[in-house]
Amino acid sequence: MEPYRQGSGRQSSNPGVDYAQAPAGSVRALVQHTDPDFQETLAHLQVTPPFGESEMQALAGSLYRCTADANQVILGQGEPADTCYWLADARARLEYAITGKPVEAIGSVRQGDFIGEGALIGAEAYPYTAAAGTASTLFAIGTAQFVELQRHAPAIAVRFLAAVAGQQVRRLRIDGKKIESFANQVLGIVAPVPAAEAGPAAPTALGRLFNRLAGGSKEEP
Amino acid sequence: MTPKQIRAIPGWEDAADGEINNLFAVCAERWHRVGAMLIDGAKPAIGAMMIVSGELQTMFEVGNMALPIETLGVGDWVGTVSTFEDGAELFSVRAVTESRVLVLTREGLDRMKAQPSPTSLRIQRAIVKSMHSSLAKLAPLVSQVQRLNTEKRKHTKADLIALGFARLTQTAQIAASRDGPAGRGVELVQHDGVAIAATFRAMR
């Protein structure tokens, strides 16, 4: 296990670019849009409207295929955010380190999820550490590649960012619920049951009487 | 609101007139007094809101306690959680200073996704940036909560205070009350969409 850096989590050892997948004579487009991993990972995004053939080609052409070993740190908290990873066949855990305290796992991500999305919007540093849970395949897109994608194919970039935003929403909800349920537990507040799960209220004797006076059926459910 | 005011917003400095007109076409402008609650965390927001002027505070409100998350300024977005996905917003948002926002409804957002344009790209980038910032602010809090949950002892209010929770002031509690005057500090300055006007009337 690598040592933790003070207050900034573990240092990443960048996932290796899988050059074996590169088409002959190409050093740029390491991913083909016909790649089954790419197709499967894209299916997890639920992009609306779906990407056309040429759009998939353009997106795949901006990506690099990477691999990471189990427990390898993919990106480190506090490191410059220069690459966004899209998990193709992977599970990873997110960790957060506070100086002088043990590192805590704050979440997990799986196939189709993004990590390090700050690289797409010019964030300075990664806010957490991500470590591969198993031997993993990832697609990577660098800040420069995404800038290029925005310039040449803004329609793809918009939908890609919308998919990223959708995942951020889910993560915010999960994080929020963790804090909310802790606070509810401390304050002794019973969280309200969502209306859909609550079902109809059981009729009381008085309710049944009013129902009969109002001309309702005498038969009880 | 003028194009000059929009160009003063970070990320919109080089926006063309056409882009700004597109923004005005899908957004409604709202003005909020100091202390007004723009979003009740227990309910869905009426739309995603871009701060045009002033400062907003996002916080968790649980019972009579509140946990401030971050103070947001010009160019930041709030209300994105419930605009992207059904359900409550979770985070309450209050005006720290007199504030002006542009509201983008879910319908407007869907339209922008369906018809990508430089305006929608700019908006999506800013939304992702704001949510990235919120996630970064939440990470240490979640980490502390996880640690507290592993401790085998009864947790008290002191733990909440150590986490950053504070007691809501009486005024804030009245404003936060579901039956209270929340939203009265809000005035519709101008709108360009039927949907927004209808939602606004329903809230009043």
Side-chain angles (χ1 to χ4, degrees), chain A residues 49 96 98 101-102 104-106 117-118 120-121 123 127 150 154-155 157-158 161-162 165 168-173 175-176 178-180 182-187 189, chain B residues 60 62-63 67 81 84-88 90 113 116 120-121 124-125 128-129 131-132 134-136 138-143 145-149 155-157 160 165:
Chain A
Y96 189 83
I98 299 175
K101 292 188 175 170
E104 286 291 336
I106 55 166
E117 70 276 9
L120 305 178
I121 41 94
Q150 287 177 85
V158 167
L161 283 172
Q168 287 179 314
V169 164
R170 284 190 283 282
R171 271 187 226 166
L172 279 170
R173 280 235 160 96
D175 286 357
K178 282 178 187 167
I179 299 170
E180 190 183 38
F182 177 75
N184 279 340
Q185 178 202 322
V186 172
L187 297 173
I189 298 171
Chain B
F60 262 120
V62 182
L67 173 64
V81 172
F84 268 86
E85 202 177 80
D86 288 335
L90 273 182
K113 276 194 274 183
S120 53
L121 184 57
Q124 283 292 354
R125 274 180 61 85
V128 169
K129 196 170 187 174
M131 288 200 284
H132 179 264
S134 301
L135 281 165
L138 283 178
L141 295 169
V142 172
S143 154
V145 165
Q146 299 271 88
R147 187 172 303 116
L148 286 165
N149 277 331
H155 298 106
T156 61
K157 270 190 182 176
L160 289 183
F165 273 91

Side-chain angles (χ1 to χ4, degrees), chain B residues 47-140:
Chain B
M49 303 174 192
M50 179 173 73
I51 307 170
V52 177
S53 69
E55 280 189 348
L56 303 179
Q57 173 81 53
T58 58
M59 61 180 83
F60 262 120
E61 293 183 353
V62 182
N64 62 349
M65 307 282 278
L67 173 64
I69 307 292
E70 57 183 336
T71 305
L72 302 170
V74 176
D76 290 327
W77 285 77
V78 293
T80 48
V81 172
S82 54
T83 307
F84 268 86
E85 202 177 80
D86 288 335
E89 179 66 23
L90 273 182
F91 307 93
S92 295
V93 179
R94 290 171 187 281
V96 177
T97 64
E98 194 177 288
S99 306
R100 209 171 269 268
V101 295
L102 282 177
V103 184
L104 175 66
T105 57
R106 180 183 281 201
E107 294 73 26
L109 191 70
D110 288 344
R111 213 172 339 144
M112 298 207 102
K113 276 194 274 183
Q115 299 162 347
S117 64
T119 312
S120 53
L121 184 57
R122 230 179 256 273
I123 289 174
Q124 283 292 354
R125 274 180 61 85
I127 286 176
V128 169
K129 196 170 187 174
S130 287
M131 288 200 284
H132 179 264
S133 158
S134 301
L135 281 165
K137 291 277 181 345
L138 283 178

